[in-house]
Amino acid sequence: LAKTTQPISMDSYEGQEVNITCSHNNIATNDYITWYQQFPSQGPRFIIQGYKTKVTNEVASLFIPADRKSSTLSLPRVSLSDTAVYYCLVGDGRSSGDKLTFGTGTRLAVRP
Amino acid sequence: ETGVTQSPTHLIKTRGQQVTLRCSSQSGHNTVSWYQQALGQGPQFIFQYYREEENGRGNFPPRFSGLQFPNYSSELNVNALELDDSALYLCASSWTLAGGQDTQYFGPGTRLTVL
């Protein structure tokens, strides 16, 4: 599975747009990119998944450049409740693979 | 549609004891994966069960074992507990078809403390 690199932490203020970038230089042709959100003492929650270009859902957008060696999770107008750890994963097949490999994630702190 | 549920929510054991954690998969899902998450770390893959058989295993010793039942629910068993086994244990369910697997959805976890 391709290794991912993310910033350890980020700070933001309510109402701002937050962009978290993930590097995955060794991504394979069949790999998808998936982002999860995790609050303390809870299980990770699926946010968004993509293969190339741009994917948007009701909570976030995922931007993937043509070379797919990185991806950016964009959270529009964050609120205090978006304070969490965000994980970027890449893997085979439709999802991040049958064996999700989590790094340490990006700890996002949203301030009033 | 019901989500992934786990029981118990919290558990305290002593070194050397055995523990069984339970997971009910999301409705319509046939695959269950278990993860261990130590404080401040990302979840680490333990193993996965598909059609009642182990379908992949991470770097965990044999004292970590599991079962999947015909209704796709699952158990994680840990024997000879060690202090380092203290962690949040997460169960994730998904739907597997030939050639691919859908997104994994996680339960709330079981917090295990070993004294």
Side-chain angles (χ1 to χ4, degrees):
Chain A
L1 295 172
K3 181 180 177 181
T4 60
T5 303
Q6 308 173 231
I8 293 174
S9 63
M10 294 182 67
D11 292 329
S12 183
Y13 291 94
E14 281 191 294
Q16 289 189 331
E17 178 185 73
V18 171
N19 297 307
I20 306 174
T21 297
C22 178
S23 297
H24 28 79
N25 291 319
N26 296 323
I27 189 168
T29 302
N30 293 332
D31 284 347
Y32 279 73
I33 301 155
T34 307
W35 286 80
Y36 282 85
Q37 174 195 56
Q38 187 177 29
F39 299 111
S41 296
Q42 294 186 25
R45 182 176 76 101
F46 171 84
I47 301 175
I48 198 166
Q49 183 180 83
Y51 183 80
K52 62 181 180 180
T53 62
K54 176 184 175 182
V55 179
T56 297
N57 61 22
E58 62 276 9
V59 298
S61 294
L62 179 59
F63 298 92
I64 306 169
D67 66 5
R68 303 200 327 121
K69 293 183 183 300
S70 66
S71 59
T72 299
L73 174 71
S74 181
L75 304 173
R77 300 182 59 78
V78 293
S79 63
L80 296 177
S81 62
D82 292 317
T83 294
V85 178
Y86 293 81
Y87 294 99
C88 162
L89 299 93
V90 298
D92 300 323
R94 174 64 179 83
S95 73
S96 283
D98 55 346
K99 306 167 187 63
L100 295 179
T101 301
F102 289 80
T104 52
T106 297
R107 191 170 300 273
L108 173 66
V110 180
R111 307 180 193 283
Chain B
E1 181 181 280
T2 57
V4 180
T5 60
Q6 293 185 242
S7 63
T9 54
H10 296 86
L11 200 55
I12 300 175
K13 292 285 189 178
T14 57
R15 272 189 309 177
Q17 284 189 313
Q18 179 266 343
V19 68
T20 297
L21 310 181
R22 295 178 175 83
C23 171
S24 292
S25 59
Q26 183 168 313
S27 175
H29 286 179
N30 60 5
T31 301
V32 173
S33 304
W34 286 91
Y35 295 81
Q36 179 196 65
Q37 186 173 25
L39 204 60
Q41 303 296 317
Q44 300 299 306
F45 175 76
I46 303 175
F47 45 54
Q48 182 183 82
Y49 278 83
Y50 170 61
R51 291 186 173 180
E52 301 178 51
E53 293 194 0
E54 188 177 290
N55 181 40
R57 188 178 184 93
N59 189 27
F60 280 82
R63 59 190 185 85
F64 286 78
S65 63
L67 286 172
Q68 187 181 32
F69 300 100
N71 66 354
Y72 305 126
S73 66
S74 177
E75 286 183 355
L76 164 66
N77 299 290
V78 186
N79 294 322
L81 283 168
E82 301 176 0
L83 297 179
D84 286 348
D85 295 333
S86 295
L88 181 68
Y89 287 85
L90 296 161
C91 166
S93 76
S94 54
W95 172 251
T96 297
L97 290 170
Q101 185 184 105
D102 208 346
T103 304
Q104 296 191 21
Y105 293 91
F106 286 81
T110 293
R111 172 71 63 188
L112 172 64
T113 301
V114 182
L115 302 176

PDB file of all heavy atoms in Angstrom, chain A residues 32-52:
ATOM      1  N   TYR A  32      -7.387   4.055  -5.013  1.00  0.00           N
ATOM      2  CA  TYR A  32      -8.276   5.170  -4.746  1.00  0.00           C
ATOM      3  C   TYR A  32      -7.747   5.938  -3.533  1.00  0.00           C
ATOM      4  O   TYR A  32      -6.951   5.434  -2.767  1.00  0.00           O
ATOM      5  CB  TYR A  32      -9.694   4.671  -4.459  1.00  0.00           C
ATOM      6  CG  TYR A  32     -10.489   4.351  -5.699  1.00  0.00           C
ATOM      7  CD1 TYR A  32     -10.218   3.209  -6.458  1.00  0.00           C
ATOM      8  CD2 TYR A  32     -11.507   5.191  -6.137  1.00  0.00           C
ATOM      9  CE1 TYR A  32     -10.934   2.922  -7.602  1.00  0.00           C
ATOM     10  CE2 TYR A  32     -12.235   4.906  -7.274  1.00  0.00           C
ATOM     11  CZ  TYR A  32     -11.939   3.774  -8.001  1.00  0.00           C
ATOM     12  OH  TYR A  32     -12.648   3.495  -9.136  1.00  0.00           O
ATOM     13  N   ILE A  33      -8.197   7.165  -3.379  1.00  0.00           N
ATOM     14  CA  ILE A  33      -7.812   8.014  -2.260  1.00  0.00           C
ATOM     15  C   ILE A  33      -9.051   8.246  -1.402  1.00  0.00           C
ATOM     16  O   ILE A  33     -10.106   8.639  -1.922  1.00  0.00           O
ATOM     17  CB  ILE A  33      -7.255   9.355  -2.758  1.00  0.00           C
ATOM     18  CG1 ILE A  33      -6.028   9.117  -3.646  1.00  0.00           C
ATOM     19  CG2 ILE A  33      -6.906  10.258  -1.572  1.00  0.00           C
ATOM     20  CD1 ILE A  33      -5.770  10.220  -4.627  1.00  0.00           C
ATOM     21  N   THR A  34      -8.920   7.959  -0.113  1.00  0.00           N
ATOM     22  CA  THR A  34     -10.057   8.056   0.794  1.00  0.00           C
ATOM     23  C   THR A  34      -9.672   8.872   2.022  1.00  0.00           C
ATOM     24  O   THR A  34      -8.553   8.740   2.524  1.00  0.00           O
ATOM     25  CB  THR A  34     -10.509   6.654   1.241  1.00  0.00           C
ATOM     26  OG1 THR A  34     -10.734   5.836   0.085  1.00  0.00           O
ATOM     27  CG2 THR A  34     -11.789   6.722   2.057  1.00  0.00           C
ATOM     28  N   TRP A  35     -10.586   9.682   2.487  1.00  0.00           N
ATOM     29  CA  TRP A  35     -10.375  10.478   3.691  1.00  0.00           C
ATOM     30  C   TRP A  35     -11.395  10.089   4.758  1.00  0.00           C
ATOM     31  O   TRP A  35     -12.576   9.908   4.468  1.00  0.00           O
ATOM     32  CB  TRP A  35     -10.505  11.971   3.387  1.00  0.00           C
ATOM     33  CG  TRP A  35      -9.334  12.533   2.635  1.00  0.00           C
ATOM     34  CD1 TRP A  35      -9.091  12.435   1.284  1.00  0.00           C
ATOM     35  CD2 TRP A  35      -8.252  13.292   3.174  1.00  0.00           C
ATOM     36  NE1 TRP A  35      -7.928  13.079   0.965  1.00  0.00           N
ATOM     37  CE2 TRP A  35      -7.387  13.620   2.102  1.00  0.00           C
ATOM     38  CE3 TRP A  35      -7.926  13.737   4.452  1.00  0.00           C
ATOM     39  CZ2 TRP A  35      -6.229  14.366   2.279  1.00  0.00           C
ATOM     40  CZ3 TRP A  35      -6.770  14.489   4.628  1.00  0.00           C
ATOM     41  CH2 TRP A  35      -5.938  14.790   3.550  1.00  0.00           C
ATOM     42  N   TYR A  36     -10.872   9.969   5.980  1.00  0.00           N
ATOM     43  CA  TYR A  36     -11.713   9.694   7.138  1.00  0.00           C
ATOM     44  C   TYR A  36     -11.524  10.816   8.163  1.00  0.00           C
ATOM     45  O   TYR A  36     -10.466  11.431   8.250  1.00  0.00           O
ATOM     46  CB  TYR A  36     -11.340   8.363   7.799  1.00  0.00           C
ATOM     47  CG  TYR A  36     -11.846   7.126   7.097  1.00  0.00           C
ATOM     48  CD1 TYR A  36     -11.133   6.554   6.046  1.00  0.00           C
ATOM     49  CD2 TYR A  36     -13.033   6.517   7.505  1.00  0.00           C
ATOM     50  CE1 TYR A  36     -11.599   5.415   5.414  1.00  0.00           C
ATOM     51  CE2 TYR A  36     -13.495   5.369   6.876  1.00  0.00           C
ATOM     52  CZ  TYR A  36     -12.770   4.820   5.838  1.00  0.00           C
ATOM     53  OH  TYR A  36     -13.231   3.685   5.210  1.00  0.00           O
ATOM     54  N   GLN A  37     -12.570  11.018   8.968  1.00  0.00           N
ATOM     55  CA  GLN A  37     -12.544  11.977  10.073  1.00  0.00           C
ATOM     56  C   GLN A  37     -12.740  11.200  11.366  1.00  0.00           C
ATOM     57  O   GLN A  37     -13.567  10.279  11.415  1.00  0.00           O
ATOM     58  CB  GLN A  37     -13.685  12.991   9.893  1.00  0.00           C
ATOM     59  CG  GLN A  37     -13.894  13.965  11.030  1.00  0.00           C
ATOM     60  CD  GLN A  37     -15.247  14.661  10.907  1.00  0.00           C
ATOM     61  OE1 GLN A  37     -16.287  14.009  10.833  1.00  0.00           O
ATOM     62  NE2 GLN A  37     -15.233  15.992  10.871  1.00  0.00           N
ATOM     63  N   GLN A  38     -11.998  11.556  12.406  1.00  0.00           N
ATOM     64  CA  GLN A  38     -12.176  10.871  13.672  1.00  0.00           C
ATOM     65  C   GLN A  38     -12.196  11.853  14.831  1.00  0.00           C
ATOM     66  O   GLN A  38     -11.282  12.664  14.979  1.00  0.00           O
ATOM     67  CB  GLN A  38     -11.072   9.832  13.902  1.00  0.00           C
ATOM     68  CG  GLN A  38     -11.314   8.976  15.139  1.00  0.00           C
ATOM     69  CD  GLN A  38     -10.285   7.903  15.344  1.00  0.00           C
ATOM     70  OE1 GLN A  38      -9.130   8.054  14.943  1.00  0.00           O
ATOM     71  NE2 GLN A  38     -10.683   6.811  15.989  1.00  0.00           N
ATOM     72  N   PHE A  39     -13.252  11.722  15.641  1.00  0.00           N
ATOM     73  CA  PHE A  39     -13.350  12.475  16.885  1.00  0.00           C
ATOM     74  C   PHE A  39     -12.798  11.615  18.019  1.00  0.00           C
ATOM     75  O   PHE A  39     -12.759  10.381  17.908  1.00  0.00           O
ATOM     76  CB  PHE A  39     -14.802  12.859  17.170  1.00  0.00           C
ATOM     77  CG  PHE A  39     -15.416  13.727  16.108  1.00  0.00           C
ATOM     78  CD1 PHE A  39     -16.421  13.239  15.287  1.00  0.00           C
ATOM     79  CD2 PHE A  39     -14.987  15.030  15.928  1.00  0.00           C
ATOM     80  CE1 PHE A  39     -16.978  14.032  14.303  1.00  0.00           C
ATOM     81  CE2 PHE A  39     -15.542  15.834  14.942  1.00  0.00           C
ATOM     82  CZ  PHE A  39     -16.534  15.322  14.123  1.00  0.00           C
ATOM     83  N   PRO A  40     -12.383  12.217  19.123  1.00  0.00           N
ATOM     84  CA  PRO A  40     -11.812  11.447  20.243  1.00  0.00           C
ATOM     85  C   PRO A  40     -12.743  10.333  20.714  1.00  0.00           C
ATOM     86  O   PRO A  40     -13.946  10.542  20.875  1.00  0.00           O
ATOM     87  CB  PRO A  40     -11.616  12.511  21.330  1.00  0.00           C
ATOM     88  CG  PRO A  40     -11.446  13.784  20.583  1.00  0.00           C
ATOM     89  CD  PRO A  40     -12.335  13.671  19.382  1.00  0.00           C
ATOM     90  N   SER A  41     -12.173   9.160  20.894  1.00  0.00           N
ATOM     91  CA  SER A  41     -12.878   7.983  21.418  1.00  0.00           C
ATOM     92  C   SER A  41     -14.056   7.560  20.546  1.00  0.00           C
ATOM     93  O   SER A  41     -15.026   6.971  21.047  1.00  0.00           O
ATOM     94  CB  SER A  41     -13.361   8.238  22.856  1.00  0.00           C
ATOM     95  OG  SER A  41     -12.249   8.420  23.695  1.00  0.00           O
ATOM     96  N   GLN A  42     -14.003   7.871  19.271  1.00  0.00           N
ATOM     97  CA  GLN A  42     -15.014   7.402  18.321  1.00  0.00           C
ATOM     98  C   GLN A  42     -14.322   6.720  17.144  1.00  0.00           C
ATOM     99  O   GLN A  42     -13.136   6.937  16.905  1.00  0.00           O
ATOM    100  CB  GLN A  42     -15.874   8.555  17.806  1.00  0.00           C
ATOM    101  CG  GLN A  42     -16.749   9.203  18.858  1.00  0.00           C
ATOM    102  CD  GLN A  42     -17.688  10.235  18.250  1.00  0.00           C
ATOM    103  OE1 GLN A  42     -18.022  10.165  17.068  1.00  0.00           O
ATOM    104  NE2 GLN A  42     -18.091  11.201  19.061  1.00  0.00           N
ATOM    105  N   GLY A  43     -15.067   5.916  16.398  1.00  0.00           N
ATOM    106  CA  GLY A  43     -14.508   5.310  15.203  1.00  0.00           C
ATOM    107  C   GLY A  43     -14.369   6.310  14.075  1.00  0.00           C
ATOM    108  O   GLY A  43     -15.106   7.293  14.024  1.00  0.00           O
ATOM    109  N   PRO A  44     -13.415   6.101  13.166  1.00  0.00           N
ATOM    110  CA  PRO A  44     -13.283   6.991  12.003  1.00  0.00           C
ATOM    111  C   PRO A  44     -14.562   7.010  11.185  1.00  0.00           C
ATOM    112  O   PRO A  44     -15.243   5.997  11.044  1.00  0.00           O
ATOM    113  CB  PRO A  44     -12.131   6.358  11.209  1.00  0.00           C
ATOM    114  CG  PRO A  44     -11.363   5.567  12.213  1.00  0.00           C
ATOM    115  CD  PRO A  44     -12.382   5.056  13.173  1.00  0.00           C
ATOM    116  N   ARG A  45     -14.849   8.180  10.625  1.00  0.00           N
ATOM    117  CA  ARG A  45     -16.047   8.353   9.803  1.00  0.00           C
ATOM    118  C   ARG A  45     -15.634   8.664   8.378  1.00  0.00           C
ATOM    119  O   ARG A  45     -14.833   9.576   8.146  1.00  0.00           O
ATOM    120  CB  ARG A  45     -16.920   9.468  10.362  1.00  0.00           C
ATOM    121  CG  ARG A  45     -18.230   9.705   9.618  1.00  0.00           C
ATOM    122  CD  ARG A  45     -19.061  10.769  10.307  1.00  0.00           C
ATOM    123  NE  ARG A  45     -18.550  12.111  10.060  1.00  0.00           N
ATOM    124  CZ  ARG A  45     -19.067  12.965   9.165  1.00  0.00           C
ATOM    125  NH1 ARG A  45     -20.082  12.591   8.420  1.00  0.00           N
ATOM    126  NH2 ARG A  45     -18.558  14.184   9.031  1.00  0.00           N
ATOM    127  N   PHE A  46     -16.157   7.925   7.418  1.00  0.00           N
ATOM    128  CA  PHE A  46     -15.859   8.149   6.005  1.00  0.00           C
ATOM    129  C   PHE A  46     -16.314   9.539   5.589  1.00  0.00           C
ATOM    130  O   PHE A  46     -17.437   9.952   5.873  1.00  0.00           O
ATOM    131  CB  PHE A  46     -16.572   7.085   5.163  1.00  0.00           C
ATOM    132  CG  PHE A  46     -16.510   7.325   3.684  1.00  0.00           C
ATOM    133  CD1 PHE A  46     -15.412   6.919   2.962  1.00  0.00           C
ATOM    134  CD2 PHE A  46     -17.558   7.956   3.033  1.00  0.00           C
ATOM    135  CE1 PHE A  46     -15.359   7.135   1.589  1.00  0.00           C
ATOM    136  CE2 PHE A  46     -17.515   8.169   1.664  1.00  0.00           C
ATOM    137  CZ  PHE A  46     -16.408   7.755   0.943  1.00  0.00           C
ATOM    138  N   ILE A  47     -15.409  10.277   4.926  1.00  0.00           N
ATOM    139  CA  ILE A  47     -15.771  11.608   4.439  1.00  0.00           C
ATOM    140  C   ILE A  47     -15.964  11.596   2.939  1.00  0.00           C
ATOM    141  O   ILE A  47     -17.017  11.998   2.429  1.00  0.00           O
ATOM    142  CB  ILE A  47     -14.666  12.650   4.772  1.00  0.00           C
ATOM    143  CG1 ILE A  47     -14.408  12.748   6.263  1.00  0.00           C
ATOM    144  CG2 ILE A  47     -15.074  14.022   4.223  1.00  0.00           C
ATOM    145  CD1 ILE A  47     -13.251  13.678   6.588  1.00  0.00           C
ATOM    146  N   ILE A  48     -14.939  11.173   2.205  1.00  0.00           N
ATOM    147  CA  ILE A  48     -14.978  11.298   0.757  1.00  0.00           C
ATOM    148  C   ILE A  48     -13.932  10.378   0.142  1.00  0.00           C
ATOM    149  O   ILE A  48     -12.944  10.019   0.789  1.00  0.00           O
ATOM    150  CB  ILE A  48     -14.738  12.772   0.345  1.00  0.00           C
ATOM    151  CG1 ILE A  48     -15.188  13.044  -1.098  1.00  0.00           C
ATOM    152  CG2 ILE A  48     -13.272  13.164   0.561  1.00  0.00           C
ATOM    153  CD1 ILE A  48     -15.286  14.533  -1.420  1.00  0.00           C
ATOM    154  N   GLN A  49     -14.173  10.000  -1.097  1.00  0.00           N
ATOM    155  CA  GLN A  49     -13.252   9.136  -1.825  1.00  0.00           C
ATOM    156  C   GLN A  49     -13.198   9.568  -3.289  1.00  0.00           C
ATOM    157  O   GLN A  49     -14.217   9.989  -3.848  1.00  0.00           O
ATOM    158  CB  GLN A  49     -13.718   7.690  -1.739  1.00  0.00           C
ATOM    159  CG  GLN A  49     -12.813   6.674  -2.403  1.00  0.00           C
ATOM    160  CD  GLN A  49     -13.368   5.279  -2.251  1.00  0.00           C
ATOM    161  OE1 GLN A  49     -14.230   4.843  -3.002  1.00  0.00           O
ATOM    162  NE2 GLN A  49     -12.853   4.563  -1.274  1.00  0.00           N
ATOM    163  N   GLY A  50     -12.002   9.440  -3.884  1.00  0.00           N
ATOM    164  CA  GLY A  50     -11.885   9.803  -5.290  1.00  0.00           C
ATOM    165  C   GLY A  50     -10.743   9.081  -5.964  1.00  0.00           C
ATOM    166  O   GLY A  50      -9.880   8.478  -5.313  1.00  0.00           O
ATOM    167  N   TYR A  51     -10.749   9.154  -7.300  1.00  0.00           N
ATOM    168  CA  TYR A  51      -9.677   8.541  -8.083  1.00  0.00           C
ATOM    169  C   TYR A  51      -8.865   9.600  -8.830  1.00  0.00           C
ATOM    170  O   TYR A  51      -7.644   9.552  -8.851  1.00  0.00           O
ATOM    171  CB  TYR A  51     -10.257   7.536  -9.076  1.00  0.00           C
ATOM    172  CG  TYR A  51      -9.210   6.809  -9.866  1.00  0.00           C
ATOM    173  CD1 TYR A  51      -8.520   5.731  -9.331  1.00  0.00           C
ATOM    174  CD2 TYR A  51      -8.884   7.224 -11.164  1.00  0.00           C
ATOM    175  CE1 TYR A  51      -7.538   5.078 -10.044  1.00  0.00           C
ATOM    176  CE2 TYR A  51      -7.895   6.564 -11.888  1.00  0.00           C
ATOM    177  CZ  TYR A  51      -7.235   5.497 -11.327  1.00  0.00           C
ATOM    178  OH  TYR A  51      -6.246   4.858 -12.041  1.00  0.00           O
ATOM    179  N   LYS A  52      -9.560  10.554  -9.446  1.00  0.00           N
ATOM    180  CA  LYS A  52      -8.864  11.627 -10.142  1.00  0.00           C
ATOM    181  C   LYS A  52      -9.754  12.867 -10.227  1.00  0.00           C
ATOM    182  O   LYS A  52     -10.935  12.813  -9.888  1.00  0.00           O
ATOM    183  CB  LYS A  52      -8.436  11.209 -11.536  1.00  0.00           C
ATOM    184  CG  LYS A  52      -9.593  10.843 -12.449  1.00  0.00           C
ATOM    185  CD  LYS A  52      -9.084  10.419 -13.819  1.00  0.00           C
ATOM    186  CE  LYS A  52     -10.244  10.054 -14.737  1.00  0.00           C
ATOM    187  NZ  LYS A  52      -9.760   9.636 -16.094  1.00  0.00           N
TER     188      LYS A  52
END
